[in-house]
């Protein structure tokens, strides 16, 4: 492939954790020029003063978000804004002709009523139909023409990559699925709240939003579409004392006659050409296998004693769960190899 | 109650993590005199040179284990030895007339065949019948006369206190129970193995022994006895980057017509007079609520959407999961108030 | 000693980290009845709903601070309020006849001008003379009659206990002292700021306020008083990824002819009857030796190669650095044994 | 520059932490082909079975070290072996014509007597003269012809980059230097010892080897050579509860008339063209600014109150302190741009 002409890229919401991770990837992406970074709180400062790890590497000033200015400076925008603040900005960027990968939750649910039930009334419901739910492995054929990509939630990414192959192949029951998920704190964004203070999180573990987390309907929506089932699932997230990474332990009931070999075959068939899905078979993957990367690693066990199948799925919530997948989507949108700029190995230990 | 005559107590295996926690409690127990501490590796050293936190507080020398010498110096022995090394020592202490609380796994399973299946052939099977499985809340009537108490495993303690009330009351199905447990590293003892190095555990999470952990048959054994059911359960432990504490998220199916109120009533009835079981209702308890204590905290949620009941159980694996419960058993063996010497609040944060 | 009549105690600012630690100690103090707990943010809630570790152990409701009400309910108040908010409340409590142990910074500096230089103009300067700087080991003769005790800062406590013996004995030069201090995050209180989020602190270390921290003049003031020297010192604090504990590495120049034995003798002489100062000699103490206790542990090394003396001092910033010392002061104020209610061993590991 | 012909590279000691980090960099280095990886303990296994983060990315089998075989398969070897085991292997590789970058301590001290004083008698002293002490910024002119590069210790790297500019420019006194260094646990390698267990390190801090660490003579040796001074320094390392990173707080005495501007100028002059030295001026750098990179970040403060200068230096001990600098040396040895394959941004948070 000849080297493409670089496109100009903006990161809207550059000083949150997802924004910082986007910058880490984009600053070294060979086909991209990072031209604009916005922040409401730190407008006017040098990016390196807020994010010292870029000193000497990225020389940009932070500005408050202004759709017109971003449109002047960039061809594509990544929007990584706090909950509920994304939709209007996205709409104004689209109007000005940019392509947008939105890393917020505003365009993930297709149904405005469902959105309203879990969030608030949708401010720009006319865009819901157009948005491509950007789990790259499931949607890549729609990306070259996409104007608006709704980057998936971090929990749904790890869960869907684990569930779709075995549900779509009718190997497991779609009822009674339990997803026991454990996430590092950056999954909550750079949220300055007491519950995310070091002294509250360190050497602790807690479950939260048992059965009522907003990522459950997102998982169900995509299982309906991509596995063709009407699932019943229980999603229970836990907050881990780590910075990055999600490990989901998923409990399923195999259908009669299904054994470990059939399950392995389903994963191998589905993912044999996927660069970012790592199959680790009977060894359950660990979170650190994927931290700092765009990988999702999957392991599975068929427990004959209890009749359950257990899938362990790990991702970096800021990688495949956010910024990494957003870059993967960018690559697919432009017809570039999907691994462009994402070809790192995990930082271990 | 008049102040009892102090009994003399030995800790056999004093330099492991359970041994250290026993010493922390025993050094301040009002009815006990700690007279002997043993260690194979550190024999001859002052305890304070191996465990600096006792400097100026416990003035004892470590000696290699010698049953005769322990029998001279103590009335009761706590044995906290590595896997498989406990049984012969326990037998020799019993022969010399001591009462023993064993914190190893050797006397927990009643059936020598079952023990052999999960461990090795049992060296002293004639003692299995006599050993009292020391989950205090379930066995306290047998403790005053007990010569040998098998202190329960850490995972079983947290799971059984959660499961017995609702299974014994027939509120939930005994089939298809999933226990997704997360433990701090001291659950593995002071095990000098690469997998427990700081750089391997920090900022990581991993599942292990999915469906094949030795604590599963222990849980099943006690459910048969105390809940009168033949359960089918899947036990999946995970290793957390924390020092102490176990949080078990337990997934159950309520029987038809059972609602949240019925479940709450079962717990309240069973535990209303229990000092060390804390019911936190709909708020799921966190690990740090109990670290440094002998408490088990329980919360529960009835998820009507998926039809599951979720119980969250937390203990300190070195507290109620080991040393704390051993002291509670000691107290019950002697007719002392069970909270004697255990009356601490958790160190938070 | 006959059991004293319990005194009634209030904790003003009960939901911060120092407040929680005061409650942990006071709830089990044999001569105290905890009668009032205040919080502005959580007024009206049960304490156990904000601090779940006290559920079933402390049954009190939080109320907004009201000096009159506190005076009705308590004889002694511990004030643990955010910076700058303490002084007026303390004054109103004193007026109503309570004795006060203030855990803030408002009464530590004796000189209103010095206070104004580092903080703001002092709101109640007439109380500065009366306040006893409550480093118990240095001030205990003044405590029985004290109305107002200014509990020392956490950094000064660990530094002063290390420095006073060798400076007072003229063993080291008072010039060019370097204090390289490392503190856990609870030293900053329950401060909901971005810099104390888990994701900012974990797996990180940073120096801050190099040479300009407010605890430096506090250390100097007390060295003048208790060591009779005019010191020149450089104080450099660092933020550790731990919850509790301060380790200070202190660099000094011994005077000519002074050797390790002379230094050891100075510490032994000064502290031989001190319950809460642990001398560990050539083995440098570790933070975990003291977490959860009121101890200060000291080790020292005379490095002949470079001519330096190195002292390592550790405390729990919430223990001897705050709540523990406050209780020790309470005990001394009432003529009770200083260890009453403080007699715990460290929770290790 | 035209793309060079790839050279073939071996990592001898591939399963330690330094080995793993070498592989992370080398697997993505554009001018290198990783052809051989050795391990005594895991010989015969796939690298991906020992280091799961490389699954699907590096397809190599581990073999026991055999100099002949390594010479067949590689042109350059990186040796990352436990203390004292490196020298004989290095000698045999040199004999077979390979160029070697040794990441152990065996070739860092030039003087065999000094080596013997701190380690053991040197097994191959004739190679000491030839070895280039590979702190790239100080030695790069000697690298193109080097056969054997002694990669510096992690502590010396951070200290020397901080000290050389101001000592060489005679801005500070060479006497009485204090280096208070704090390191993550991977600085000790993958050392399976009780003191590095998670439960011993987490939420703890300890000083060790006060004044007697082997890195002190290494720092002094290079200060003599590169700053032309006979220094007197005290080096005090501490073990942090983090995986990677060293922060050194260095205390110096400026010479008369030297101010902050002079110090800043010395750093700017020395490092203005250096890609891997980041000057952060008055803001002290944090460890996380550099984790995962080959950067050294420096900040400095002139404290007029006490007359000290304080330098804060941070590196990733596995990056600039080991594997990163080794790759930088490789690049310089071959005339490639020094940043080749090292051009990552830090993974923050």
């Amino acid at each position: 492939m000849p080297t493409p002409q670089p496109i100009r890229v903006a990161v809207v919401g550059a000083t949150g954790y997802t924004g910082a991770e986007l910058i880490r990837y984009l600053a070294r992406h060979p086909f991209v020029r990072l031209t604009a970074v916005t922040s409401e709180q730190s407008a006017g400062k040098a990016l390196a003063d807020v994010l010292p790890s870029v000193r000497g590497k990225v020389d940009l000033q932070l500005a408050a978000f202004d759709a017109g200015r971003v449109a002047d400076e960039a061809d594509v925008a990544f929007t990584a804004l706090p909950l509920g603040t994304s939709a209007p900005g996205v709409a104004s960027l689209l109007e000005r002709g940019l392509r947008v990968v939105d890393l917020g939750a505003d365009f993930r649910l297709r149904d405005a009523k469902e959105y309203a039930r879990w969030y608030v009334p949708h401010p720009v419901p006319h865009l819901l139909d157009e948005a491509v739910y950007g789990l790259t492995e499931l949607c890549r054929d729609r990306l070259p023409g996409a104007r608006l990509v709704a980057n998936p939630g971090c929990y749904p990414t790890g869960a869907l990559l684990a569930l779709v192959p075995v549900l779509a192949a009718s190997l497991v029951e779609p009822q009674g699925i339990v997803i026991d998920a454990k996430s590092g704190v950056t999954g909550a964004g750079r949220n300055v709240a007491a519950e995310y203070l070091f002294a509250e999180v360190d050497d602790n573990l807690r479950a939260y939003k048992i059965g009522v987390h907003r990522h459950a309907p997102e998982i169900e929506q995509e299982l309906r579409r991509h596995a063709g089932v009407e699932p019943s699932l229980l999603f229970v997230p836990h907050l881990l004392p780590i910075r990055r990474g999600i490990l989901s332990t998923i409990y399923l009931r195999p259908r009669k006659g299904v054994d470990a070999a059939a399950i392995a075959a389903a994963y191998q068939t589905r993912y044999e050409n996927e660069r970012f899905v790592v199959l680790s078979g009977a060894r359950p993957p660990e979170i650190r296998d994927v931290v700092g990367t765009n990988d999702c690693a999957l392991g599975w066990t068929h427990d004959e004693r209890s009749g359950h199948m257990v899938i362990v799925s790990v991702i970096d919530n800021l990688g495949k769960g956010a910024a990494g997948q957003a870059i993967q989507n960018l690559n697919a949108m432009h017809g570039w190899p999907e691994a462009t700029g994402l070809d790192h190995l995990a930082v271990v230990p």
Side-chain angles (χ1 to χ4, degrees), chain A residues 256-323:
Chain A
K256 211 173 166 178
V258 171
D259 60 8
I263 288 164
Y267 284 118
Q268 281 149 7
T269 305
R270 171 71 77 151
Y271 293 133
E272 67 181 333
N273 294 316
E274 292 296 345
R275 177 68 178 261
F276 294 115
V277 182
V278 178
L279 302 183
S280 76
R283 174 194 174 269
E286 307 182 15
I287 277 181
R288 67 176 192 159
D289 296 348
V290 300
V291 166
T293 76
N294 190 45
D295 288 347
C296 172
L298 298 173
W300 53 88
T301 302
H302 187 180
D303 181 55
E304 300 196 11
R305 206 158 163 277
S306 74
H308 280 93
M309 177 186 167
V310 184
I311 321 176
V312 176
S313 160
V314 297
I315 59 167
D316 183 337
N317 56 291
L318 294 178
K320 184 66 180 170

Side-chain angles (χ1 to χ4, degrees), chain A residues 216-237:
Chain A
E218 187 181 329
I219 298 169
E220 291 169 345
Q221 165 185 291
E222 297 301 309
L223 287 180
R224 275 182 222 110
R225 188 184 329 195
H226 291 287
V229 297
E230 186 56 48
S232 128
L233 64 81
L234 171 59
F235 175 67
V236 179

Side-chain angles (χ1 to χ4, degrees), chain A residues 66-334:
Chain A
D66 177 300
R69 193 168 150 189
V70 171
D72 288 345
E73 297 177 343
D75 307 305
V76 175
F78 292 91
T79 47
L81 296 168
L83 196 62
T85 66
S86 210
V90 168
S92 62
L93 290 166
L94 291 173
E95 281 164 23
R96 282 166 178 81
L98 276 81
R99 302 176 81 180
V100 176
V101 180
D102 179 46
L103 290 101
D106 285 359
F107 299 98
R108 292 174 188 159
L109 295 182
R110 293 171 62 82
D111 179 348
K113 279 185 206 150
E114 185 78 357
Y115 182 90
R117 194 159 80 88
W118 292 88
Y119 297 90
V120 292
H122 202 287
V124 287
H126 65 283
L127 290 173
L128 289 178
D129 259 1
E130 177 180 355
V132 175
Y133 185 83
L135 190 64
T136 327
E137 283 73 12
L138 302 181
C139 74
R140 61 167 64 92
D141 55 331
R142 300 178 60 207
L143 290 170
R147 265 199 336 155
L148 171 56
V149 175
N151 218 57
C154 49
Y155 284 126
T157 294
L160 289 166
L161 288 170
L163 286 169
V164 164
V166 289
L167 280 169
S170 295
L171 298 178
V172 298
E173 300 290 344
Q175 307 303 315
I177 298 169
V178 171
I179 303 174
D180 186 292
K182 301 93 173 170
S183 175
V185 292
T186 56
R190 197 153 175 264
N191 191 341
V192 185
E195 67 199 276
Y196 301 116
L197 291 175
F198 182 87
E200 307 290 319
V201 172
D202 180 49
D203 258 307
N204 194 14
L205 181 77
R206 61 182 176 88
Y208 65 101
K209 292 192 183 168
I210 296 176
V212 296
H213 193 285
R214 288 155 168 179
H215 282 177
E218 187 181 329
I219 298 169
E220 291 169 345
Q221 165 185 291
E222 297 301 309
L223 287 180
R224 275 182 222 110
R225 188 184 329 195
H226 291 287
V229 297
E230 186 56 48
S232 128
L233 64 81
L234 171 59
F235 175 67
V236 179
H238 300 73
L239 186 72
L240 287 172
I242 69 173
R243 294 196 305 283
R244 289 168 176 244
I246 293 174
L247 185 149
S248 299
T249 314
I250 304 177
Y251 301 93
L252 297 162
R253 293 250 165 221
R255 290 204 158 136
K256 211 173 166 178
V258 171
D259 60 8
I263 288 164
Y267 284 118
Q268 281 149 7
T269 305
R270 171 71 77 151
Y271 293 133
E272 67 181 333
N273 294 316
E274 292 296 345
R275 177 68 178 261
F276 294 115
V277 182
V278 178
L279 302 183
S280 76
R283 174 194 174 269
E286 307 182 15
I287 277 181
R288 67 176 192 159
D289 296 348
V290 300
V291 166
T293 76
N294 190 45
D295 288 347
C296 172
L298 298 173
W300 53 88
T301 302
H302 187 180
D303 181 55
E304 300 196 11
R305 206 158 163 277
S306 74
H308 280 93
M309 177 186 167
V310 184
I311 321 176
V312 176
S313 160
V314 297
I315 59 167
D316 183 337
N317 56 291
L318 294 178
K320 184 66 180 170
Q325 183 150 262
I327 310 286
Q328 188 182 359
N329 285 329
L330 177 83
N331 291 337
M333 288 163 77
H334 292 85

